[in-house]
Amino acid sequence: MQQEFTESPEDARRRDLMVQRQLRRRGIRDERVLEAMGRVPRHRFVPPERRFEAYDDFPLPIGGGQTISQPYIVALMTQALRLTGAERVLEIGTGSGYQTALLAELAREVTTIDRSRALSETAAARLRALGHETVTFHVGDGTLGVPESAPYDRVLATGSLPSIPDVLLAQLAPEGVLLAPVGGRWAQELIRVSFGPRGRTEDSLGGCRFVPLIGAHGWRD
Ligand code: SAH
C-alpha cells in the first residue's frame, strides 16, 4: 500500500540518510527495525510546514504541546521491544501515529491510546491511508492501560511516568516486556521490565526526556 504514495525522491533520500547516519551508524542493529524505518514515510506524520525536517536528528512539535520523538529514540525503543512479528502490543501515547505505524509493521496487532481525541483521530486517518488494518485506536487515560484487550506481549509508553504502574504490569502476558521513560517530569530513564523463566528483570537503556503522560498513574495536568 505504501508504495502507492506519491513521495518526492527527496523524501526517500532523506529517509535513507536517516537510517544510515542516525540509526545504523549509532548502533541500531535490528534489521527489521531498520527496514521498517526505511519504509514508513515519517514526513506524513509531521505538520506540513515541518516536512523538510521530518528526517532530521531531533524531535518535532506535532501540536498541542506534544512531540514526535527523535528518530534514533524511536529506533532504540522499537529495537528494545525485540519484536518478531507475532506480538500483541499496547502503545500508550499515540501522538502523531509514527511509532504506531512502526509497531504495526513489526508486530501482529497494535492497540494504541491517547488522551487527545484530536491527535488520535489524525493518527487513525494517517494509518488508514497507509493501509494499516491491525491497529485499534482508543481515547482515554492510558496510564490505566486498555484492560479490555489485555494481555499484551509488549507495552510501550511514549510519554513519561513517575513510576511503573502495577495496573500496566498486570496487563502483560507471561513473557511480556514493558518499556517506559520513568523518572522526573523533565528527565527520565528508559526502563525495560521483562518477564521470563527467571522471573522479573529490569534494565535501563539510558537517559531520556519525554513529554509527560497526564493521568491517574502519570502526572497532573
Ligand atoms: N509516540 C508518539 C509521541 C507521543 S507524545 C509519536 O510517535 O508521535 C506523547 C503522547 O501521549 C501525546 O500525544 C499525549 O497526548 C499523550 N498522552 C499524555 N497523557 C496520556 C495518557 N494518560 N494516556 C494516553 N496518552 C497520553
Side-chain angles (χ1 to χ4, degrees):
M1 285 296 278
Q2 284 160 42
Q3 285 76 2
E4 287 168 30
F5 274 132
T6 48
E7 66 165 10
S8 72
E10 190 55 20
D11 293 320
R13 195 187 68 84
R14 287 175 207 263
R15 189 163 59 243
D16 198 49
L17 281 177
M18 171 191 84
V19 171
Q20 302 312 327
R21 294 192 182 156
Q22 299 174 42
L23 310 185
R24 233 181 242 289
R25 204 175 284 178
R26 282 194 201 136
I28 301 297
R29 290 279 171 266
D30 185 326
E31 289 297 329
R32 292 182 75 239
V33 172
L34 292 165
E35 275 166 26
M37 291 191 68
R39 243 183 352 251
V40 174
R42 184 173 159 98
H43 60 276
R44 299 191 61 110
F45 291 85
V46 303
E49 67 276 13
R50 296 283 188 167
R51 178 179 179 132
F52 297 107
E53 293 169 284
Y55 297 100
D56 290 349
D57 196 13
F58 40 74
L60 286 172
I62 55 171
Q66 305 305 318
T67 54
I68 177 171
S69 302
Q70 178 191 12
Y72 175 71
I73 293 293
V74 175
L76 191 69
M77 290 199 295
T78 311
Q79 173 172 268
L81 291 176
R82 299 196 186 104
L83 296 167
T84 66
E87 296 80 11
R88 301 184 70 243
V89 183
L90 171 65
E91 179 195 31
I92 304 165
T94 313
S96 69
Y98 176 64
Q99 172 80 69
T100 321
L102 287 168
L103 295 171
E105 294 267 336
L106 295 167
R108 178 158 62 93
E109 220 175 279
V110 181
T111 300
T112 185
I113 182 166
D114 204 289
R115 70 192 283 266
S116 158
R117 180 169 298 280
L119 286 174
S120 176
E121 285 177 354
T122 307
R126 286 178 180 139
L127 268 88
R128 251 197 321 277
L130 282 164
H132 288 295
E133 284 162 3
T134 53
V135 183
T136 312
F137 292 83
H138 291 258
V139 176
D141 180 5
T143 68
L144 298 167
V146 181
E148 59 265 37
S149 35
Y152 305 99
D153 303 298
R154 304 289 185 265
V155 172
L156 171 65
T158 68
S160 72
L161 288 164
S163 60
I164 298 172
D166 286 337
V167 67
L168 292 182
L169 295 174
Q171 291 173 39
L172 269 183
E175 308 258 294
V177 176
L178 175 146
L179 185 64
V182 182
R185 181 132 183 177
W186 307 111
Q188 309 91 32
E189 264 189 83
L190 207 42
I191 300 293
R192 174 169 58 184
V193 182
S194 316
F195 290 89
R198 285 178 295 129
R200 172 180 169 155
T201 55
E202 204 172 300
D203 63 339
S204 167
L205 289 118
C208 57
R209 181 180 295 238
F210 280 75
V211 295
L213 291 180
I214 309 294
H217 298 293
W219 308 91
R220 293 209 182 147
D221 213 345

Coordinates of all heavy atoms in Angstrom, one line a residue, residues 41-119:
P41 N 6.8 6.4 5.9 CA 7.0 7.8 5.4 C 6.8 8.8 6.6 O 5.7 9.4 6.8 CB 5.9 8.0 4.3 CG 4.9 7.0 4.7 CD 5.5 5.9 5.4
R42 N 7.9 9.0 7.3 CA 7.8 9.9 8.5 C 7.3 11.3 8.2 O 6.7 12.0 9.0 CB 9.2 9.9 9.2 CG 9.3 10.7 10.5 CD 10.6 10.5 11.2 NE 10.9 11.6 12.1 CZ 10.8 11.5 13.4 NH1 10.3 10.4 14.0 NH2 11.1 12.5 14.2
H43 N 7.6 11.8 7.0 CA 7.2 13.1 6.6 C 5.6 13.3 6.6 O 5.1 14.4 6.7 CB 7.7 13.5 5.2 CG 7.3 12.7 4.1 ND1 8.0 11.5 3.8 CD2 6.3 12.8 3.2 CE1 7.4 10.9 2.8 NE2 6.4 11.7 2.4
R44 N 4.9 12.2 6.6 CA 3.4 12.3 6.6 C 2.9 12.4 8.0 O 1.7 12.5 8.2 CB 2.8 11.0 5.9 CG 3.2 10.9 4.5 CD 2.4 9.9 3.8 NE 1.0 10.2 3.8 CZ 0.3 10.6 2.7 NH1 0.9 10.6 1.6 NH2 -1.0 10.8 2.9
F45 N 3.8 12.3 9.0 CA 3.4 12.3 10.4 C 3.7 13.6 11.1 O 3.6 13.7 12.3 CB 4.0 11.1 11.2 CG 3.5 9.8 10.7 CD1 4.0 9.1 9.6 CD2 2.4 9.2 11.4 CE1 3.5 7.9 9.2 CE2 1.9 7.9 11.0 CZ 2.4 7.3 9.9
V46 N 4.3 14.5 10.4 CA 4.6 15.8 11.0 C 3.8 16.9 10.3 O 3.3 16.7 9.2 CB 6.2 16.1 10.8 CG1 7.0 15.0 11.4 CG2 6.5 16.3 9.3
P47 N 3.6 18.1 11.0 CA 2.9 19.1 10.3 C 3.5 19.5 9.0 O 4.7 19.4 8.8 CB 3.0 20.3 11.3 CG 3.4 19.7 12.6 CD 4.2 18.5 12.3
P48 N 2.7 19.8 8.0 CA 3.2 20.0 6.6 C 4.3 21.0 6.5 O 5.3 20.8 5.8 CB 1.9 20.6 5.9 CG 0.8 20.3 6.7 CD 1.2 20.0 8.1
E49 N 4.3 22.0 7.4 CA 5.4 23.0 7.3 C 6.7 22.5 7.9 O 7.8 23.1 7.7 CB 5.0 24.3 8.0 CG 4.9 24.3 9.5 CD 3.5 23.7 10.0 OE1 2.7 23.2 9.1 OE2 3.2 23.9 11.2
R50 N 6.6 21.3 8.5 CA 7.9 20.6 9.0 C 8.4 19.5 8.1 O 9.3 18.8 8.5 CB 7.5 20.0 10.4 CG 7.2 21.1 11.5 CD 8.5 21.7 11.9 NE 8.2 22.6 13.1 CZ 9.1 23.1 13.8 NH1 10.4 22.8 13.6 NH2 8.8 23.9 14.9
R51 N 7.7 19.4 7.0 CA 8.0 18.2 6.1 C 9.5 18.1 5.9 O 10.0 17.0 5.9 CB 7.3 18.4 4.8 CG 7.6 17.3 3.8 CD 6.8 17.5 2.5 NE 7.1 16.5 1.6 CZ 6.2 15.8 0.9 NH1 5.0 16.0 1.0 NH2 6.6 14.8 0.1
F52 N 10.2 19.2 5.7 CA 11.6 19.1 5.3 C 12.5 18.8 6.5 O 13.7 18.7 6.3 CB 12.0 20.3 4.5 CG 11.2 20.3 3.2 CD1 10.2 21.3 3.0 CD2 11.5 19.4 2.2 CE1 9.5 21.2 1.8 CE2 10.7 19.3 1.0 CZ 9.7 20.3 0.8
E53 N 11.9 18.8 7.7 CA 12.7 18.5 8.9 C 12.3 17.1 9.4 O 12.9 16.6 10.4 CB 12.4 19.5 10.0 CG 12.9 20.9 9.7 CD 12.4 21.8 10.8 OE1 11.2 22.2 10.7 OE2 13.1 22.2 11.7
A54 N 11.4 16.4 8.7 CA 10.9 15.2 9.2 C 11.9 14.1 9.4 O 11.8 13.2 10.3 CB 9.8 14.6 8.2
Y55 N 13.0 14.1 8.7 CA 14.0 13.1 8.8 C 15.3 13.6 9.5 O 16.3 12.9 9.5 CB 14.4 12.5 7.4 CG 13.2 11.8 6.8 CD1 12.4 12.5 5.8 CD2 12.8 10.6 7.2 CE1 11.2 11.9 5.3 CE2 11.6 10.0 6.7 CZ 10.9 10.6 5.8 OH 9.8 10.0 5.3
D56 N 15.2 14.7 10.2 CA 16.3 15.3 10.9 C 16.4 14.7 12.3 O 15.5 14.1 12.8 CB 16.2 16.8 10.9 CG 16.4 17.5 9.6 OD1 16.8 16.7 8.6 OD2 16.1 18.7 9.4
D57 N 17.6 15.0 12.9 CA 18.0 14.3 14.1 C 17.5 14.9 15.3 O 18.3 15.2 16.3 CB 19.6 14.3 14.0 CG 20.2 13.3 15.0 OD1 19.4 12.5 15.5 OD2 21.4 13.4 15.2
F58 N 16.2 15.3 15.4 CA 15.7 15.9 16.6 C 14.1 15.6 16.7 O 13.5 15.3 15.7 CB 16.0 17.4 16.8 CG 15.9 18.1 15.5 CD1 14.6 18.4 14.9 CD2 17.0 18.6 14.8 CE1 14.6 19.2 13.7 CE2 16.9 19.3 13.6 CZ 15.7 19.6 13.1
P59 N 13.6 15.8 17.9 CA 12.1 15.6 18.0 C 11.4 16.9 17.3 O 12.1 17.9 17.2 CB 11.8 15.6 19.5 CG 13.1 16.2 20.1 CD 14.2 16.0 19.2
L60 N 10.2 16.7 17.0 CA 9.5 17.9 16.3 C 8.1 18.0 17.0 O 7.5 17.1 17.4 CB 9.2 17.5 14.8 CG 10.4 17.6 13.9 CD1 10.0 17.1 12.5 CD2 10.9 19.0 13.8
P61 N 7.6 19.3 17.1 CA 6.3 19.5 17.6 C 5.2 19.0 16.7 O 5.3 19.1 15.5 CB 6.2 21.1 17.7 CG 7.3 21.6 16.8 CD 8.3 20.5 16.7
I62 N 4.2 18.4 17.3 CA 3.1 17.9 16.5 C 1.7 18.5 16.8 O 0.7 18.1 16.5 CB 2.9 16.3 16.6 CG1 2.8 15.9 18.0 CG2 4.1 15.7 15.9 CD1 2.5 14.4 18.2
G63 N 1.8 19.6 17.6 CA 0.6 20.4 18.0 C 0.2 20.0 19.5 O 0.6 18.9 20.0
G64 N -0.5 20.9 20.1 CA -1.0 20.7 21.5 C 0.2 20.5 22.5 O 0.0 19.8 23.5
G65 N 1.3 21.0 22.2 CA 2.5 20.9 23.1 C 3.1 19.5 23.1 O 4.0 19.2 23.9
Q66 N 2.7 18.6 22.2 CA 3.2 17.3 22.1 C 4.3 17.2 21.0 O 4.5 18.1 20.2 CB 2.1 16.3 21.8 CG 1.0 16.4 22.8 CD 1.4 16.2 24.2 OE1 2.3 15.4 24.5 NE2 0.9 17.0 25.1
T67 N 5.1 16.1 21.1 CA 6.2 16.0 20.1 C 6.3 14.6 19.5 O 5.8 13.6 20.2 CB 7.6 16.3 20.8 OG1 7.7 15.4 21.9 CG2 7.8 17.7 21.2
I68 N 6.8 14.5 18.3 CA 7.1 13.2 17.7 C 8.6 13.0 18.1 O 9.4 13.9 17.9 CB 6.9 13.2 16.2 CG1 7.3 11.9 15.6 CG2 7.6 14.4 15.5 CD1 6.9 11.8 14.1
S69 N 8.9 11.9 18.7 CA 10.3 11.7 19.2 C 11.3 11.7 18.1 O 11.0 11.4 16.9 CB 10.4 10.3 19.9 OG 9.5 10.3 21.0
Q70 N 12.6 12.0 18.5 CA 13.7 11.9 17.6 C 13.8 10.5 16.9 O 13.6 9.5 17.7 CB 15.0 12.2 18.4 CG 16.3 12.1 17.8 CD 17.4 12.2 18.8 OE1 17.1 12.0 20.0 NE2 18.6 12.4 18.4
P71 N 14.1 10.4 15.7 CA 14.2 9.0 15.0 C 15.0 8.0 15.8 O 14.6 6.9 15.9 CB 14.8 9.3 13.6 CG 14.4 10.8 13.3 CD 14.4 11.5 14.7
Y72 N 16.2 8.4 16.3 CA 17.1 7.5 17.0 C 16.4 6.9 18.2 O 16.5 5.7 18.5 CB 18.4 8.2 17.4 CG 19.3 7.2 18.2 CD1 19.9 6.1 17.6 CD2 19.4 7.5 19.6 CE1 20.7 5.3 18.4 CE2 20.2 6.6 20.4 CZ 20.8 5.5 19.8 OH 21.6 4.7 20.5
I73 N 15.7 7.7 18.9 CA 15.0 7.3 20.2 C 13.9 6.3 19.8 O 13.7 5.3 20.4 CB 14.4 8.5 21.0 CG1 15.6 9.3 21.5 CG2 13.5 8.0 22.1 CD1 16.4 8.6 22.6
V74 N 13.1 6.6 18.7 CA 12.1 5.7 18.2 C 12.7 4.3 17.9 O 12.2 3.3 18.3 CB 11.4 6.3 17.0 CG1 10.3 5.3 16.5 CG2 10.7 7.6 17.4
A75 N 13.8 4.4 17.2 CA 14.5 3.1 16.8 C 15.0 2.4 18.0 O 14.8 1.1 18.1 CB 15.7 3.5 15.9
L76 N 15.6 3.1 19.0 CA 16.1 2.4 20.2 C 15.0 1.7 20.9 O 15.1 0.6 21.4 CB 16.8 3.5 21.0 CG 17.6 3.1 22.2 CD1 18.9 2.4 21.7 CD2 18.0 4.2 23.1
M77 N 13.9 2.4 21.1 CA 12.7 1.9 21.8 C 12.2 0.7 21.1 O 11.9 -0.4 21.7 CB 11.6 2.9 22.0 CG 12.0 4.0 23.0 SD 10.6 4.8 23.6 CE 10.0 5.6 22.1
T78 N 12.0 0.8 19.8 CA 11.4 -0.3 19.0 C 12.3 -1.5 19.0 O 11.8 -2.6 19.2 CB 11.2 0.2 17.5 OG1 10.5 1.5 17.6 CG2 10.3 -0.7 16.8
Q79 N 13.6 -1.3 18.9 CA 14.6 -2.4 18.9 C 14.5 -3.1 20.3 O 14.5 -4.3 20.3 CB 16.0 -1.9 18.6 CG 17.1 -2.9 18.8 CD 18.4 -2.4 18.3 OE1 18.8 -2.6 17.2 NE2 19.2 -1.7 19.2
A80 N 14.4 -2.3 21.3 CA 14.4 -2.8 22.7 C 13.2 -3.7 23.0 O 13.2 -4.5 23.9 CB 14.4 -1.7 23.7
L81 N 12.2 -3.6 22.1 CA 11.0 -4.4 22.3 C 11.1 -5.8 21.8 O 10.3 -6.7 22.0 CB 9.7 -3.8 21.7 CG 9.2 -2.5 22.3 CD1 8.1 -1.9 21.5 CD2 8.7 -2.7 23.7
R82 N 12.2 -6.0 21.0 CA 12.5 -7.4 20.4 C 11.3 -8.0 19.8 O 10.9 -9.1 20.1 CB 13.1 -8.3 21.5 CG 14.3 -7.8 22.2 CD 14.9 -9.0 22.9 NE 16.1 -8.6 23.7 CZ 16.1 -8.4 25.0 NH1 15.0 -8.6 25.7 NH2 17.2 -8.0 25.7
L83 N 10.8 -7.3 18.8 CA 9.5 -7.8 18.1 C 9.9 -8.8 17.0 O 10.8 -8.6 16.3 CB 8.8 -6.6 17.5 CG 8.2 -5.6 18.5 CD1 7.8 -4.3 17.8 CD2 7.1 -6.2 19.3
T84 N 9.1 -9.9 17.0 CA 9.4 -10.9 15.9 C 8.3 -10.9 14.9 O 8.4 -11.5 13.8 CB 9.3 -12.3 16.6 OG1 8.0 -12.6 17.0 CG2 10.3 -12.4 17.7
G85 N 7.2 -10.2 15.2 CA 6.0 -10.2 14.2 C 4.8 -10.9 14.8 O 3.7 -10.9 14.2
A86 N 5.0 -11.6 15.9 CA 3.9 -12.4 16.5 C 3.2 -11.7 17.6 O 2.2 -12.2 18.1 CB 4.4 -13.7 17.0
E87 N 3.7 -10.5 18.0 CA 3.2 -9.9 19.3 C 1.9 -9.1 19.2 O 1.6 -8.5 18.2 CB 4.3 -9.0 19.9 CG 5.6 -9.8 20.2 CD 6.5 -10.1 19.1 OE1 6.2 -9.6 18.0 OE2 7.4 -10.9 19.2
R88 N 1.3 -9.0 20.3 CA 0.2 -8.0 20.5 C 0.8 -6.9 21.4 O 1.4 -7.2 22.4 CB -1.0 -8.7 21.2 CG -1.6 -9.9 20.5 CD -2.8 -10.4 21.2 NE -3.9 -9.5 21.1 CZ -4.5 -8.9 22.1 NH1 -4.1 -9.1 23.3 NH2 -5.5 -8.1 21.9
V89 N 0.7 -5.7 20.9 CA 1.4 -4.6 21.5 C 0.4 -3.5 22.0 O -0.6 -3.2 21.3 CB 2.4 -3.9 20.6 CG1 3.1 -2.8 21.2 CG2 3.3 -5.0 20.0
L90 N 0.6 -3.0 23.2 CA -0.1 -1.8 23.6 C 0.8 -0.6 23.6 O 1.9 -0.6 24.2 CB -0.7 -2.0 25.1 CG -1.2 -0.7 25.7 CD1 -2.5 -0.2 25.0 CD2 -1.6 -1.0 27.2
E91 N 0.4 0.5 22.9 CA 1.2 1.7 22.9 C 0.4 2.8 23.7 O -0.8 3.0 23.4 CB 1.4 2.2 21.5 CG 2.2 3.5 21.4 CD 2.1 4.2 20.1 OE1 1.1 4.1 19.3 OE2 3.1 4.9 19.7
I92 N 1.1 3.4 24.6 CA 0.4 4.5 25.4 C 1.0 5.8 24.9 O 2.2 6.1 25.2 CB 0.7 4.3 26.9 CG1 0.2 2.9 27.3 CG2 0.0 5.4 27.7 CD1 0.7 2.4 28.7
G93 N 0.2 6.6 24.3 CA 0.6 7.9 23.7 C 0.7 7.8 22.2 O 1.8 7.7 21.6
T94 N -0.4 7.8 21.5 CA -0.4 7.6 20.0 C 0.3 8.8 19.4 O 1.0 8.5 18.4 CB -1.9 7.6 19.5 OG1 -2.7 6.7 20.4 CG2 -2.0 7.2 18.1
G95 N 0.0 10.0 19.8 CA 0.6 11.2 19.3 C 0.4 11.3 17.8 O -0.7 11.2 17.3
S96 N 1.5 11.4 17.0 CA 1.4 11.5 15.5 C 1.0 10.2 14.9 O 0.5 10.2 13.7 CB 2.7 11.9 15.0 OG 3.7 10.9 15.1
G97 N 1.2 9.1 15.6 CA 1.0 7.8 15.0 C 2.2 7.2 14.3 O 2.1 6.1 13.8
Y98 N 3.3 7.9 14.3 CA 4.5 7.4 13.7 C 5.0 6.1 14.3 O 5.2 5.1 13.6 CB 5.6 8.5 13.7 CG 6.9 8.0 13.1 CD1 7.0 7.6 11.7 CD2 8.1 7.8 13.8 CE1 8.2 7.1 11.2 CE2 9.2 7.4 13.3 CZ 9.3 7.0 12.0 OH 10.5 6.5 11.4
Q99 N 5.2 6.1 15.7 CA 5.6 4.9 16.3 C 4.6 3.8 16.2 O 4.9 2.6 16.0 CB 5.8 5.2 17.8 CG 6.1 4.1 18.7 CD 7.5 3.6 18.7 OE1 8.4 4.3 19.2 NE2 7.7 2.4 18.1
T100 N 3.3 4.2 16.2 CA 2.2 3.2 15.9 C 2.4 2.5 14.6 O 2.2 1.3 14.5 CB 0.9 3.9 15.9 OG1 0.8 5.0 16.9 CG2 -0.3 3.0 16.2
A101 N 2.7 3.3 13.6 CA 2.9 2.7 12.2 C 4.1 1.7 12.2 O 4.0 0.6 11.6 CB 3.1 3.8 11.2
L102 N 5.1 2.0 12.9 CA 6.3 1.1 13.0 C 5.9 -0.2 13.7 O 6.2 -1.3 13.3 CB 7.4 1.8 13.7 CG 8.2 2.9 12.9 CD1 9.1 3.7 13.8 CD2 9.0 2.2 11.8
L103 N 5.2 0.0 14.8 CA 4.7 -1.2 15.6 C 3.8 -2.1 14.7 O 3.9 -3.3 14.7 CB 4.0 -0.8 16.9 CG 4.8 0.0 17.9 CD1 4.0 0.5 19.0 CD2 5.9 -1.0 18.5
A104 N 3.0 -1.4 13.9 CA 2.1 -2.2 13.0 C 2.8 -2.9 12.0 O 2.5 -4.0 11.6 CB 1.1 -1.2 12.4
E105 N 4.0 -2.4 11.6 CA 4.8 -3.1 10.6 C 5.5 -4.3 11.2 O 5.9 -5.2 10.5 CB 5.9 -2.1 10.1 CG 5.5 -0.9 9.3 CD 5.5 -1.2 7.8 OE1 6.2 -2.1 7.4 OE2 4.7 -0.6 7.1
L106 N 5.8 -4.2 12.5 CA 6.7 -5.2 13.2 C 6.0 -6.2 14.1 O 6.7 -7.1 14.6 CB 7.8 -4.4 13.9 CG 8.7 -3.6 13.0 CD1 9.5 -2.6 13.9 CD2 9.6 -4.5 12.2
A107 N 4.7 -5.9 14.4 CA 4.0 -6.8 15.3 C 2.7 -7.3 14.7 O 2.4 -6.9 13.6 CB 3.8 -6.1 16.6
R108 N 2.0 -8.2 15.4 CA 0.8 -8.8 14.9 C -0.4 -7.8 15.0 O -1.2 -7.7 14.1 CB 0.5 -10.1 15.5 CG -0.8 -10.8 15.1 CD -0.7 -12.3 15.4 NE -0.6 -12.5 16.8 CZ -1.7 -12.8 17.6 NH1 -2.9 -12.7 17.1 NH2 -1.5 -13.0 18.9
E109 N -0.5 -7.2 16.2 CA -1.7 -6.4 16.5 C -1.3 -5.3 17.4 O -0.5 -5.5 18.3 CB -2.6 -7.4 17.2 CG -4.1 -7.2 16.9 CD -4.8 -8.3 17.7 OE1 -4.8 -9.5 17.2 OE2 -5.4 -8.0 18.7
V110 N -1.8 -4.1 17.2 CA -1.4 -3.0 18.0 C -2.7 -2.3 18.5 O -3.6 -2.0 17.8 CB -0.6 -1.9 17.2 CG1 -0.2 -0.7 18.1 CG2 0.6 -2.5 16.5
T111 N -2.7 -2.1 19.8 CA -3.7 -1.2 20.5 C -3.0 0.0 20.9 O -1.9 0.0 21.5 CB -4.3 -2.0 21.7 OG1 -4.8 -3.2 21.3 CG2 -5.3 -1.1 22.4
T112 N -3.6 1.2 20.6 CA -2.9 2.4 20.9 C -3.9 3.4 21.6 O -5.1 3.4 21.2 CB -2.2 3.1 19.7 OG1 -1.4 4.2 20.2 CG2 -3.1 3.5 18.6
I113 N -3.4 4.1 22.6 CA -4.4 5.0 23.3 C -3.7 6.4 23.5 O -2.5 6.5 23.7 CB -4.8 4.4 24.6 CG1 -5.8 5.3 25.4 CG2 -3.6 4.0 25.5 CD1 -6.5 4.6 26.6
D114 N -4.5 7.4 23.3 CA -4.0 8.8 23.6 C -5.2 9.5 24.3 O -6.3 9.2 24.1 CB -3.7 9.5 22.3 CG -2.7 10.7 22.5 OD1 -3.1 11.7 23.1 OD2 -1.5 10.5 22.1
R115 N -4.8 10.5 25.2 CA -5.8 11.2 25.9 C -6.4 12.3 25.0 O -7.5 12.8 25.3 CB -5.3 11.8 27.2 CG -4.3 12.9 27.0 CD -3.6 13.2 28.4 NE -4.5 13.9 29.3 CZ -4.4 15.3 29.4 NH1 -3.6 16.0 28.7 NH2 -5.2 15.8 30.3
S116 N -5.7 12.6 23.9 CA -6.2 13.7 23.0 C -7.0 13.0 21.8 O -6.4 12.3 21.0 CB -5.0 14.5 22.4 OG -5.4 15.1 21.2
R117 N -8.3 13.4 21.8 CA -9.1 12.8 20.7 C -8.6 13.3 19.3 O -8.6 12.6 18.3 CB -10.6 13.2 20.9 CG -11.5 12.7 19.8 CD -13.0 12.8 20.2 NE -13.3 12.0 21.4 CZ -13.6 10.7 21.4 NH1 -13.5 10.0 20.3 NH2 -13.9 10.1 22.5
A118 N -8.2 14.6 19.3 CA -7.8 15.2 18.0 C -6.5 14.5 17.5 O -6.5 14.1 16.3 CB -7.5 16.7 18.2
L119 N -5.5 14.2 18.3 CA -4.3 13.5 17.9 C -4.7 12.1 17.5 O -4.2 11.6 16.4 CB -3.3 13.5 19.0 CG -2.5 14.8 19.2 CD1 -1.6 14.7 20.4 CD2 -1.8 15.3 18.0

